[in-house]
Amino acid sequence: MRRRIVAGNWKMNGSKDLVNSLVGQVRSEVASLDNGVEAVIIPPALFVSDVVRLAGGEIAVGIQNIACWDSGAYTGEVSAGMARDSGCDYALVGHSERRQLFGETDQQVAVKVGRALASGLNAVICVGETLEEREAGRAEEVVSAQVRRSVAEVGGDQWHQVVVAYEPVWAIGTGKTATAEDAQAMHAAIRAVLSALGAPADEISLLYGGSVKADNAAALFAQPDIDGGLIGGASLSAADFVSICRAVPGRS
Ligand code: 13P
C-alpha cells in the first residue's frame, strides 16, 4: 500500500516564531484526520531540531538538501547522517531550485539519493520540465530521463525509501497548476519508468508539486497515480497546509 504524503517545503522562509505557532497547530489538526495522510514539514535546516521537538513524532520532518559527502572539509554543507541524527525522516533531493540556481546535476542528485538512503532517510526526488521543454513536446522525455538518472544508485531493498515528486518548473510559485489530467499522465509515465527499472513501482509514492492550494488539491489527489503533494507557499499557513492534508482521499 502506498503512503499518502503531504509535505510542506518552506524553502528559505519562516522564523522561530512561525515554527512555534505553526507546528503545534498542524500537529493537533492532522492528528484528528482519519484519511491516513502522513504530514511532513521541511523547514530551513536551522529549524529542523525545533520542528522535530514540537512535532512530537506525529508529523515527520525533512531537510531541503543534503551534501554529496558524509563528513569533512565542506564548509556550509550538512550531511544526510546529520539530518537523520537531528530527527529527519525525509530529504528533498534535486529540487528544481537547486538544479536551476545552484547547478545541481542528475549525477549529483543520484549521489545525494544514495547518501540519503544509506543514512536511513526517505529521499523525495524532485523532477520536472521547464515551460520551454513542455511547449516543445519534450516533457515526458525530460522527466523520464531525470528519474532514470536520479535513481542510479538505489539498491534493491531501498526502493521503499524512495518518493518521487513531479514538480513542473513552470508551475512552481506561479499560481499555474498542471491540470489534474496532465499531472496524472506524467505520474503514470514516471511509474512506468520505475517499473521498467525493476522497482516495485506500485508501492512507490508519487507526489505532485507546483502551486498546490486548498482549492485544487482534492482534484489532483483524486488521480490514481498521485499519492499526495509537495507544497511550497501554502505550507507556510497552518490552515492552508491542514486543508491540503484534509484533501487526501480516505482509503476505502
Ligand atoms: P509552490 O507550492 O509555492 O508553487 O512551490 C512548490 C514547490 O516548489 C515545493 O517544493
Side-chain angles (χ1 to χ4, degrees):
M1 200 159 63
R2 300 201 286 268
R3 282 173 290 171
R4 296 291 212 149
I5 299 167
V6 173
N9 172 14
W10 287 17
K11 310 191 179 185
M12 201 175 75
N13 295 300
S15 61
K16 280 248 190 190
D17 279 351
L18 185 72
V19 169
N20 288 329
S21 62
L22 181 144
V23 180
Q25 196 182 334
V26 170
R27 175 182 169 176
S28 63
E29 294 196 31
V30 165
S32 69
L33 299 180
D34 59 3
N35 58 0
V37 66
E38 180 172 351
V40 186
I41 292 180
I42 311 178
L46 270 181
F47 300 142
V48 158
S49 296
D50 291 312
V51 176
V52 166
R53 179 173 45 80
L54 293 166
E58 292 182 44
I59 305 171
V61 182
I63 190 154
Q64 296 176 12
N65 177 43
I66 50 167
C68 289
W69 311 276
D70 280 336
S71 65
Y74 303 104
T75 301
E77 295 284 285
V78 173
S79 73
M82 292 167 188
R84 185 77 185 126
D85 204 17
S86 298
C88 286
D89 290 308
Y90 287 86
L92 287 187
V93 186
H95 192 280
S96 65
E97 286 150 18
R98 297 223 49 92
R99 293 176 188 264
Q100 294 204 315
L101 303 173
F102 302 97
E104 211 164 278
T105 64
D106 286 334
Q107 286 69 27
Q108 286 170 316
V109 171
V111 170
K112 291 182 179 196
V113 169
R115 295 282 182 218
L117 303 184
S119 297
L121 294 167
N122 298 293
V124 180
I125 303 170
C126 304
V127 295
E129 81 285 358
T130 62
L131 186 58
E132 201 182 12
E133 289 161 342
R134 174 154 287 264
E135 286 177 344
R138 296 183 53 229
E140 197 176 309
E141 170 202 332
V142 167
V143 169
S144 299
Q146 285 175 338
V147 172
R148 271 194 294 272
R149 295 194 200 111
S150 302
V151 300
E153 299 202 7
V154 180
D157 57 348
Q158 293 179 318
W159 285 108
H160 65 279
Q161 291 167 257
V162 170
V163 174
V164 179
Y166 168 57
E167 298 200 303
V169 176
W170 47 270
I172 294 177
T174 58
K176 292 183 194 150
T177 322
T179 63
E181 294 70 28
D182 282 350
Q184 162 57 25
M186 188 63 87
H187 282 240
I190 291 170
R191 209 177 290 290
V193 169
L194 292 169
S195 181
L197 291 170
D202 283 339
E203 293 162 32
I204 296 177
S205 298
L206 305 183
L207 313 183
Y208 172 80
S211 296
V212 178
K213 308 286 179 212
D215 60 3
N216 59 24
L220 289 159
F221 298 168
Q223 300 300 314
D225 286 294
I226 301 181
D227 304 307
L230 181 56
I231 320 302
S235 70
L236 295 165
S237 150
D240 291 349
F241 187 60
V242 170
S243 294
I244 294 169
C245 289
R246 192 174 289 122
V248 168
R251 294 182 195 283
S252 48

